[in-house]
Amino acid sequence: MYTLGIETSCDETAAAVLRDDKVLSSIVSSQIDIHKKYGGVVPELASREHLKNLIPIIREALASASISLTDINLIAVTYTPGLIGALLVGVSAAKAIAYAQNIPFIGVHHGEGHILAAHIEYPDIGYPYIALLVSGGHTALYHVKGLGSYQMLGQTRDDAAGEAYDKVAKLMGLEYPGGPILDKLAQEGNPMAVPFPRGLREGYDFSFSGLKTAVRNHVALFMDKDKGIAPELKIKDVASSFQAAVVDTLVTKAMLAASQTGVDKIVVAGGVAANSSLRKQLSEEASKRGMMIYLPGMFYCIDNAAMIALAGYLHYKRGERSSLDLNPRPTMPL
Ligand code: KG4
Ligand code: ZN
């Protein structure tokens, strides 16, 4: 069975082809260069770019899987959450193809796609596990009991972890997206140079806005309204200390969730799962406690359509499908 996956929820236009649960092709076209100069994603520009790129990207995914559209048996598409105009492009294309080819169509929650991305490289992972979903739009911990059974243990009360990275990078005068840039700088800095706050210590909820303000206040000490940021600001130390605060919080809460639920497997998902320090510290903590940690390869951490195709395929195999009346939704809990 061949599944075509489509993802257009934010600033990546992506299409992928699976044969059963195996990825044959996964094409991602990033719009980062377009949004960079605005310091964040401009929704209207994102929609227009998806419109321009989606069909060529689908063609490329089919060609690289060496199949044609008529071979496809199922279309899976992200329908929530995301930028409404961006989602609309993917959902409309998916519906049109499903209707024209007379094949089933299934809408996928983007967050579920991120969690299930781990199953691409670890098909035998097995349930239950704890999922730490950390991206530009989400930061949450789930007790995953099975396909479609995601008990949320906690989530961010303000910024998502990736959003905090992007905002902190912006206030330090760095480019969008800030995550990879700060990650790189952090590796050369001192994580103990600035004692930034860790946010909520109790429970499973997260809060990153206090941390962001603390970084802003620290940077302000080195800011001159005419000359900008003074060279005395130790940017690598700030990046490293900020990263230490984020990663400490994420690792502590993920480990707490695993031990309190009696689950010995942790899956990490979303763009921030690409973070080098998060990967390292989670692996170290997990091996100390005899837990398994599942880290998707970088390519499956960031937005892609293979994870969407897989989520759609797994639900379809259980007899589920969506009606062509399904409309995109900007927000929706998992
Ligand atoms: O999952 P994703 O591609 O899109 C959303 O669904 O949000 O995640 C993008 C987010 C951005 O905020 C980006 O700054 C962050 O992931 N990110 C990182 C790293 N790579 C990407 N954050 C920290 N360290 C990284 N290496
Ligand atoms: Zn995402």
Side-chain angles (χ1 to χ4, degrees):
M1 171 167 173
Y2 291 105
T3 303
L4 172 66
I6 295 174
E7 156 64 43
T8 64
S9 66
C10 190
D11 60 347
E12 263 96 24
T13 314
V17 175
L18 304 192
R19 184 194 297 124
D20 299 328
D21 59 353
K22 297 282 167 291
V23 180
L24 296 186
S25 66
S26 179
I27 311 290
V28 178
S29 161
S30 170
Q31 305 176 0
I32 283 176
D33 287 341
I34 290 161
H35 300 289
K36 219 177 217 169
K37 53 179 174 288
Y38 304 102
V41 179
V42 183
E44 180 58 25
L45 289 181
S47 312
R48 289 175 191 215
E49 280 304 300
H50 287 309
L51 207 49
K52 198 162 81 195
N53 297 331
L54 183 57
I55 300 299
I57 295 289
I58 291 174
R59 288 215 170 99
E60 200 180 328
L62 291 169
S64 122
S66 304
I67 62 165
S68 71
L69 192 56
T70 50
D71 296 317
I72 296 292
N73 308 105
L74 171 70
I75 310 275
V77 63
T78 303
Y79 80 102
T80 193
L83 302 168
I84 191 68
L87 290 165
L88 200 53
V89 176
V91 171
S92 306
K95 284 184 188 177
I97 296 171
Y99 184 72
Q101 300 292 320
N102 195 21
I103 53 174
F105 148 86
I106 189 154
V108 172
H109 189 291
H110 184 81
E112 181 177 30
H114 271 304
I115 292 173
L116 296 178
H119 292 243
I120 296 173
E121 291 155 298
Y122 308 102
D124 302 323
I125 195 167
Y127 300 103
Y129 54 77
I130 295 296
L132 172 65
L133 174 54
V134 272
S135 70
H138 319 255
T139 295
L141 270 168
Y142 297 93
H143 183 184
V144 180
K145 298 174 181 173
L147 178 69
S149 173
Y150 311 104
Q151 183 196 351
M152 192 169 57
L153 300 171
Q155 64 179 327
T156 183
R157 295 195 189 165
D158 38 61
D159 292 344
E163 190 183 356
Y165 264 96
D166 297 337
K167 288 179 174 170
V168 161
K170 194 171 178 181
L171 68 88
M172 286 167 72
L174 303 168
E175 282 192 333
Y176 171 85
I181 300 171
L182 285 173
D183 188 6
K184 207 150 166 253
L185 289 169
Q187 288 171 40
E188 292 165 30
N190 173 6
M192 285 175 325
V194 194
F196 287 131
R198 265 51 180 168
L200 294 171
R201 287 185 183 268
E202 301 296 318
Y204 295 126
D205 276 356
F206 302 90
S207 167
F208 294 107
S209 76
L211 170 60
K212 182 185 62 192
T213 306
V215 178
R216 176 176 289 124
N217 291 342
H218 181 81
V219 172
L221 301 174
F222 298 86
M223 184 71 93
D224 180 283
K225 76 173 170 359
D226 300 319
K227 295 189 202 139
I229 296 173
E232 287 76 27
L233 177 72
K234 295 200 173 96
I235 200 168
K236 290 177 180 168
D237 285 350
V238 176
S240 194
S241 303
F242 163 75
Q243 177 146 295
V246 175
V247 170
D248 254 20
T249 311
L250 296 175
V251 173
T252 307
K253 303 224 177 206
M255 291 299 152
L256 182 73
S259 63
Q260 291 196 338
T261 51
V263 170
D264 63 357
K265 286 184 269 186
I266 300 177
V267 163
V268 197
V272 183
N275 185 267
S276 60
S277 170
L278 179 63
R279 295 173 86 88
K280 186 163 166 272
Q281 288 196 36
L282 276 171
S283 304
E284 283 171 7
E285 282 301 317
S287 77
K288 263 191 233 160
R289 294 158 199 246
M291 285 177 189
M292 286 295 292
I293 188 101
Y294 296 90
L295 294 160
M298 303 288 188
F299 185 67
Y300 293 123
C301 290
I302 56 159
D303 286 351
N304 66 87
M307 66 188 194
I308 303 302
L310 182 66
Y313 168 76
L314 294 173
H315 279 285
Y316 178 75
K317 264 207 335 187
R318 276 206 324 204
E320 297 165 39
R321 59 162 76 191
S322 303
S323 111
L324 287 179
D325 292 337
L326 182 79
N327 282 320
R329 295 180 58 154
T331 56
M332 169 107 118
L334 183 55

